[in-house]
Amino acid sequence: MPTTAESKRILGRVPGTWLLVLGYLVLLSLSASFPFFSSIETVADGRPINVPAFDFSGDKVKQLPYTIPIRAHLHGVLGAEEAQEFVQPRFRDTVIVYLHRVPWDDKGSQLCEELARNPGVSVVEPFMPGFKTSPGQVPSHSMEANAEVVAALMEHYGVKRYHVIGQGFGGVAALELASAHPRRVQSLTMLSSPGAQEFELLGNPLVNKIVYGFQGAFFWGVSRLTPNFGAVDLLPWDRDYARTVFDTDLTDSKKIIHQWTKPLLIIHGDADWMTPVEAAHYSVKLAPQARLHVIPGGRDAVFADIPGVSTEIREFIVEQEKKPSPAVLPPPEIPPIPQAAGARFWILLVIIVICTFVAEDPTCLASGLMVSVGIIDFWSATAACTAGIFIGDVCLYSLGRFLGRKALRRAPLKWFLKEHKVNQWAGWFSTPKGMLVVVSSRFIPASRVPTFVTAGIMRLNIFRLGILLLIAALIWTPPLMWIGYKFGAKAMEQLAHYKSNAIWVIIGFLFFLHFVTHWVVPAFTWRGRRQITMKVRGFLQPSLWPAWLLYLPVRLGILALCLRYRRLTAFASANPAFGRIGGFVGDSKSLLLRPFQRDSRCCPTLALSLDDPQDERVREAQAFAMCHGWPVVFKPEVAENGAGLRFVHTAEQLEQLVRAAAEDFLLQKYISGFEFEVVWRRNPGKDDGRIMAVVQKRDVAVRGDGEQTLEELIWLDEVAVSRGELFIQCHASDLNRVIPAGQKVILNLTGSYGHGARCLHRHDLITVQLDEAVTAFAKHFPGLHFARFDLRAISVDELKAGRFIITEVGGCCHVSSLFRDESLLFARSYVAIWGQLKACIVAGDYNLRQKVRPVPLDELMARWSQAHGRQDQFAVSEDL
């Protein structure tokens, strides 16, 4: 067992990010398992009543074959404390149903209590599905389905006639209830309710659902992806609220109000910023019999004077009970929507500006749609879109200008903007047409963020650039709005048929938008078509798949074989005492090379530790370079696939790297020639050895013609295009250089596949001489049973003759790169890799049965995480 000090050292090798992620996952699991805070409040006391469940995913509300529980407060009912225990509680002559707004608050309950002070009035206050006081899972949170649930609740109580009050979004449920059960609903009262769809947010059901969809995704993420132990569900705005506004459809609200001929009371605040007072005035035009009372105040105006509002509502309802108002025929046609004015006009402009920060082009199209409906005029919407786009562009420019390249390492830019992209754009800006490059990006989707941030980093003239950006926005915005104005209404009419599948329409729209911006638009340029070629090859050619996907079966295979041999770390025992963990990923490079240092075929290596004084490290490094010549190779002790490797050409570069080193590192003599990868094995308990596979690492090169830049040569080359983005990243600072005719440029910076080298299976290179030479070299360490050697040779013939130089050694589970050979059948590669894995684990099992001390799992995982937790997975800065 490791000592406490050893355990601390092992823990110290684990990257801090990994520890944070582990702590986050632990807290997240505990939060999901033990939600200390309950979203079911004591506000709704009593036993829940089971009523039929309803779904509104189709064109009509349909009853489902199961029930859901619903709670309700009963005010002014005989024995209200025990009322829910009775099947038929005793109500007074006048029954009012009060439907809460979302998010729910207790002000509505206070209004219900005030209404029930009248001895002839009973009030039912249901807590509808989706409200925080309603238990259980429900199929639909929509107000349409909630209306049917309320109707079923009143049927359960045996109440056949009642008056309905709807507050806020509850007014939508009140309208749906009145429409579905007109004989039972005697009157409607709407308190600060939205009414017609055109007065809700951006005025269109599908556009609103897109906004609500993002809102719901945010609340879902906060609820499920943060360790809040249920506390988030206690907030007024939670995922249930987001689900309710998303599921609710106000499309028919205008039609319901227009067809309602019974008494209607509307009470609305004159300064309501969420639902403008114009919505109440328009509802009166739809239903001339409506009685409108505009009171001073905002969204909570109706609660500012609860006694006064409750008195007005009681008098209105009692009046209808005594002498119902005669039915008034609605106007023959639905009146047009009034154009936004006053506070509503400015709120709409602010919403448009904010939406442009998230999605510029869709906001322009949605604004054009609002113009076609008549909600806002064309030029005002154009001004808002242009202002939002211009402000967003200037903000991106400011990020680059004032934070510099540091902005690229901070969220959120670091998530989708890479430094090599900025280097690429910076090269374009250095040309005389740099300003035009910035302006042209306005018309190229997915290029604006890197362009404007890079413009700030390059400190382009803000005044000149600002004028050009404003002109570009003025050129781009009106045509987009005109498209929304001209074709938006017709498109929405067609999409209205699919409103029940709004979530899939939204997802499909986002995928379509991504397809257009990343596949269709780039196809209009030759560079874009070559990028599409790269993407298609990346999908269809398994050798180009990302490492996490390609090597997933390998990792699962290691786990399966280890379980078969009943030891999770069986593979690490294949090479006892070789390195610290048998040469597995994360083992020290210099420690693995140490047993072979006396062999002339081992590359000269100097290991330097941070424990040594800095000046001493600098002196030793310079002495090594003077002895072996420039360039020298700088490598981290723990890294994979070439991460952190640099070629150093001068003493100044070397001293700078040594002094800035934050981890142990090593220096190696640079060995020219061809690079190969050899996998070798020895049968356990036998004095033999043989090569299992040889993979050659070939350079990818382009040759200049004196006219085309390096970037153009990369995209035009049939081999280089397959990994074009990688080579663009490798040579980001040199892309705009015109390559002289005949000059050869090697694109891969090292022989690593991670840096662009091609991998070719070369079984034909396995000769008796090579086999004997590699076996003799491997036997310098008697306990070695499985290894992968990275070696260089002057030529193929020299390799076949057994003359080479070893640059790196990997131990257990360092399988060959056969996957990366596009000429091999995928199944054949996996068979070969599986054979290598099995040979490694069989050797480990044999050694364990010989009482070899097993490798601790914590040591293994700590070193593996150190190797894979690096931030510089691509860090070659100097070319040869």
Side-chain angles (χ1 to χ4, degrees):
M1 293 293 292
T3 64
T4 303
E6 289 175 344
S7 299
K8 288 181 178 179
R9 284 196 297 271
I10 292 172
L11 190 62
R13 287 192 294 269
V14 180
T17 304
W18 288 61
L19 294 176
L20 289 175
V21 171
L22 178 61
Y24 163 76
L25 293 176
V26 170
L27 287 175
L28 197 63
S29 300
L30 292 174
S31 175
S33 304
F34 306 101
F36 299 131
F37 303 96
S38 174
S39 62
I40 308 303
E41 303 263 311
T42 58
V43 174
D45 297 322
R47 181 175 59 85
I49 296 173
N50 290 320
V51 298
F54 297 89
D55 190 10
F56 202 75
S57 58
D59 294 334
K60 296 181 179 179
V61 177
K62 62 180 181 180
Q63 184 174 337
L64 298 174
Y66 57 87
T67 61
I68 58 173
I70 181 172
R71 285 187 170 98
H73 271 169
L74 302 180
H75 305 269
V77 178
L78 180 63
E81 295 79 4
E82 296 84 17
Q84 294 191 33
E85 301 293 337
F86 298 109
V87 176
Q88 295 288 347
R90 296 177 60 183
F91 290 89
R92 295 170 179 171
D93 294 337
T94 300
V95 179
I96 299 175
V97 178
Y98 180 86
L99 305 181
H100 277 277
R101 67 185 182 185
V102 285
W104 177 92
D105 59 32
D106 60 355
K107 295 177 181 177
S109 299
Q110 296 173 19
L111 179 59
C112 292
E113 292 175 2
E114 189 66 29
L115 287 169
R117 290 182 185 277
N118 190 303
V121 175
S122 293
V123 180
V124 179
E125 181 190 1
F127 297 94
M128 298 178 287
F131 285 66
K132 67 178 182 179
T133 48
S134 286
Q137 298 295 323
V138 292
S140 174
H141 287 63
S142 70
M143 288 300 176
E144 300 94 318
N146 283 345
E148 293 296 333
V149 170
V150 173
L153 178 67
M154 300 309 292
E155 185 72 20
H156 171 82
Y157 287 142
V159 179
K160 302 300 183 182
R161 297 173 70 250
Y162 42 85
H163 303 266
V164 180
I165 301 175
Q167 159 69 9
F169 241 67
V172 183
L175 290 174
E176 294 291 341
L177 182 60
S179 176
H181 305 277
R183 294 184 178 180
R184 299 188 177 183
V185 178
Q186 301 304 299
S187 72
L188 277 177
T189 300
M190 300 177 66
L191 309 178
S192 301
S193 295
Q197 170 74 72
E198 287 77 5
F199 295 93
E200 173 67 14
L201 199 61
L202 295 178
N204 181 270
L206 187 59
V207 175
N208 286 353
K209 282 190 181 295
I210 293 175
V211 177
Y212 290 140
F214 283 110
Q215 181 189 56
F218 170 77
F219 285 124
W220 181 91
V222 171
S223 176
R224 296 300 180 93
L225 303 181
T226 61
N228 58 81
F229 295 94
V232 171
D233 288 335
L234 300 182
L235 300 175
W237 292 274
D238 57 9
R239 52 183 170 165
D240 286 332
Y241 157 75
R243 176 75 184 275
T244 300
V245 296
F246 181 85
D247 286 351
T248 301
D249 186 3
L250 278 71
T251 304
D252 295 331
S253 295
K254 179 167 58 177
K255 179 181 177 182
I256 295 173
I257 297 174
H258 183 247
Q259 294 177 348
W260 181 252
T261 59
K262 291 184 178 181
L264 173 63
L265 173 63
I266 301 175
I267 302 178
H268 212 98
D270 61 357
D272 191 336
W273 63 272
M274 184 170 290
T275 303
V277 70
E278 286 83 2
H281 287 291
Y282 184 70
S283 296
V284 174
K285 293 182 180 179
L286 293 172
Q289 82 281 10
R291 187 182 303 176
L292 175 61
H293 182 198
V294 178
I295 58 180
R299 186 166 182 258
D300 290 337
V302 294
F303 298 132
D305 181 18
I306 290 180
V309 171
S310 63
T311 298
E312 181 176 0
I313 295 174
R314 277 200 308 265
E315 291 176 352
F316 168 75
I317 292 175
V318 170
E319 179 183 337
Q320 307 309 318
E321 289 279 345
K322 291 180 178 179
K323 184 179 179 182
S325 300
V328 178
L329 294 178
E333 294 182 357
I334 295 180
I337 297 292
Q339 203 170 80
R344 180 186 174 223
F345 172 79
W346 294 107
I347 290 173
L348 274 178
L349 295 187
V350 171
I351 291 174
I352 291 173
V353 170
I354 293 174
C355 287
T356 57
F357 298 157
V358 180
E360 297 174 354
D361 296 346
T363 301
C364 292
L365 295 172
S367 300
L369 181 60
M370 285 195 290
V371 172
S372 67
V373 176
I375 299 175
I376 195 171
D377 66 280
F378 183 87
W379 294 113
S380 296
T382 301
C385 288
T386 304
I389 290 172
F390 179 74
I391 293 171
D393 294 348
V394 172
C395 288
L396 291 174
Y397 172 88
S398 301
L399 281 177
R401 185 177 181 88
F402 295 109
L403 296 180
R405 290 185 178 270
K406 295 180 180 178
L408 305 179
R409 305 182 186 99
R410 298 180 181 178
L413 287 180
K414 70 176 183 179
W415 298 335
F416 53 86
L417 183 58
K418 303 302 179 183
E419 193 163 358
H420 76 276
K421 281 289 185 183
V422 173
N423 294 333
Q424 179 182 354
W425 286 100
W428 292 350
F429 293 163
S430 61
T431 65
K433 298 181 179 179
M435 284 287 187
L436 293 179
V437 172
V438 180
V439 175
S440 64
S441 68
R442 164 56 48 201
F443 311 101
I444 304 174
S447 67
R448 297 164 191 170
V449 173
T451 304
F452 300 143
V453 172
T454 306
I457 292 174
M458 297 293 292
R459 295 181 173 272
L460 299 185
N461 186 284
I462 181 60
F463 297 106
R464 182 184 173 194
L465 180 64
I467 293 173
L468 291 175
L469 290 177
L470 183 60
I471 293 174
L474 287 172
I475 294 174
W476 181 248
T477 302
L480 274 182
M481 288 195 55
W482 181 83
I483 292 174
Y485 168 74
K486 192 71 176 177
F487 305 105
K490 295 180 180 178
M492 290 301 113
E493 289 177 5
Q494 296 299 320
L495 291 174
H497 300 298
Y498 306 98
K499 64 182 181 181
S500 58
N501 297 311
I503 184 65
W504 299 111
V505 172
I506 294 171
I507 293 174
F509 171 76
L510 294 177
F511 272 103
F512 175 76
L513 191 63
H514 176 83
F515 176 76
V516 170
T517 56
H518 289 77
W519 293 81
V520 176
V521 173
F524 289 100
T525 65
W526 71 266
R527 182 183 281 104
R529 289 191 290 274
R530 298 303 287 173
Q531 290 174 337
I532 291 175
T533 300
M534 177 192 68
K535 293 177 183 178
V536 171
R537 290 185 183 179
F539 283 127
L540 300 181
Q541 196 165 307
S543 62
L544 296 174
W545 289 354
W548 68 266
L549 177 61
L550 192 63
Y551 282 91
L552 180 61
V554 173
R555 291 165 181 168
L556 294 177
I558 293 174
L559 179 61
L561 287 173
C562 287
L563 291 176
R564 177 182 174 184
Y565 289 101
R566 300 180 181 179
R567 173 71 70 172
L568 283 177
T569 61
F571 60 88
S573 298
N575 304 316
F578 184 62
R580 295 187 183 276
I581 51 175
F584 185 59
V585 175
D587 223 337
S588 170
K589 296 178 186 291
S590 62
L591 189 62
L592 299 179
L593 284 170
R594 188 175 299 168
F596 312 103
Q597 282 292 313
R598 293 186 179 182
D599 193 311
S600 61
R601 291 169 295 186
C602 183
C603 179
T605 302
L606 172 67
L608 294 172
S609 172
L610 292 186
D611 294 335
D612 300 327
Q614 190 179 82
D615 292 337
E616 182 179 337
R617 279 183 279 139
V618 172
R619 285 195 301 270
E620 290 185 22
Q622 291 178 341
F624 180 87
M626 292 297 293
C627 177
H628 296 286
W630 303 98
V632 294
V633 181
F634 178 97
K635 294 180 180 180
E637 276 281 19
V638 177
E640 286 295 310
N641 209 19
L645 183 148
R646 284 177 168 83
F647 297 109
V648 186
H649 297 271
T650 66
E652 291 77 14
Q653 289 178 355
L654 181 59
E655 181 176 358
Q656 183 180 0
L657 281 173
V658 172
R659 292 189 182 278
E663 59 186 325
D664 295 345
F665 62 93
L666 57 88
L667 298 178
Q668 281 189 326
K669 178 182 178 180
Y670 173 73
I671 306 297
S672 60
F674 296 94
E675 185 162 344
F676 301 87
E677 177 186 278
V678 174
V679 175
W680 176 89
R681 68 162 295 190
R682 177 166 68 93
N683 289 312
K686 296 183 180 180
D687 186 22
D688 59 1
R690 69 179 182 88
I691 294 175
M692 299 188 72
V694 175
V695 174
Q696 182 179 1
K697 306 293 187 65
R698 282 190 178 176
D699 293 333
V700 178
V702 294
R703 195 172 297 276
D705 58 4
E707 297 180 359
Q708 293 174 320
T709 64
L710 179 59
E711 183 191 5
E712 292 170 337
L713 293 173
I714 290 173
W715 288 121
L716 291 172
D717 187 83
E718 283 302 318
V719 176
V721 69
S722 296
R723 305 188 71 189
E725 284 293 344
L726 174 65
F727 295 133
I728 293 296
Q729 178 179 355
C730 291
H731 303 275
S733 60
D734 207 29
L735 293 176
N736 295 299
R737 181 170 66 91
V738 176
I739 307 302
Q743 180 177 330
K744 181 181 178 182
V745 179
I746 298 177
L747 299 179
N748 53 290
L749 300 180
T750 71
S752 168
Y753 176 82
H755 293 164
R758 297 179 67 195
C759 297
L760 300 175
H761 181 218
R762 296 298 304 272
H763 189 74
D764 59 299
L765 299 182
I766 302 178
T767 63
V768 175
Q769 294 88 342
L770 177 61
D771 207 343
E772 291 178 349
V774 172
T775 300
F777 184 87
K779 287 184 178 180
H780 283 294
F781 191 86
L784 193 65
H785 288 85
F786 185 90
R788 188 183 73 187
F789 300 103
D790 291 343
L791 51 86
R792 283 182 175 263
I794 297 175
S795 66
V796 170
D797 291 335
E798 286 288 299
L799 178 75
K800 294 169 72 174
R803 292 186 284 272
F804 51 78
I805 299 294
I806 300 289
T807 58
E808 276 194 22
V809 179
C812 53
C813 289
H814 274 74
V815 294
S816 63
S817 302
L818 293 176
F819 286 141
R820 299 302 187 178
D821 186 350
E822 63 269 18
S823 64
L824 288 181
L825 291 176
F826 201 46
R828 181 183 174 187
S829 299
Y830 267 113
V831 170
I833 296 298
W834 186 259
Q836 296 172 22
L837 287 176
K838 192 171 181 180
C840 175
I841 296 178
V842 166
D845 176 66
Y846 171 83
N847 289 324
L848 288 173
R849 285 189 279 111
Q850 302 304 313
K851 305 304 180 181
V852 169
R853 180 176 178 271
V855 177
L857 181 61
D858 56 352
E859 173 85 3
L860 201 71
M861 294 305 299
R863 293 186 174 275
W864 183 87
S865 62
Q866 186 180 2
H868 286 271
R870 302 184 63 90
Q871 299 297 322
D872 58 345
Q873 287 300 308
F874 193 85
V876 177
S877 58
E878 289 83 28
D879 296 337
L880 283 178

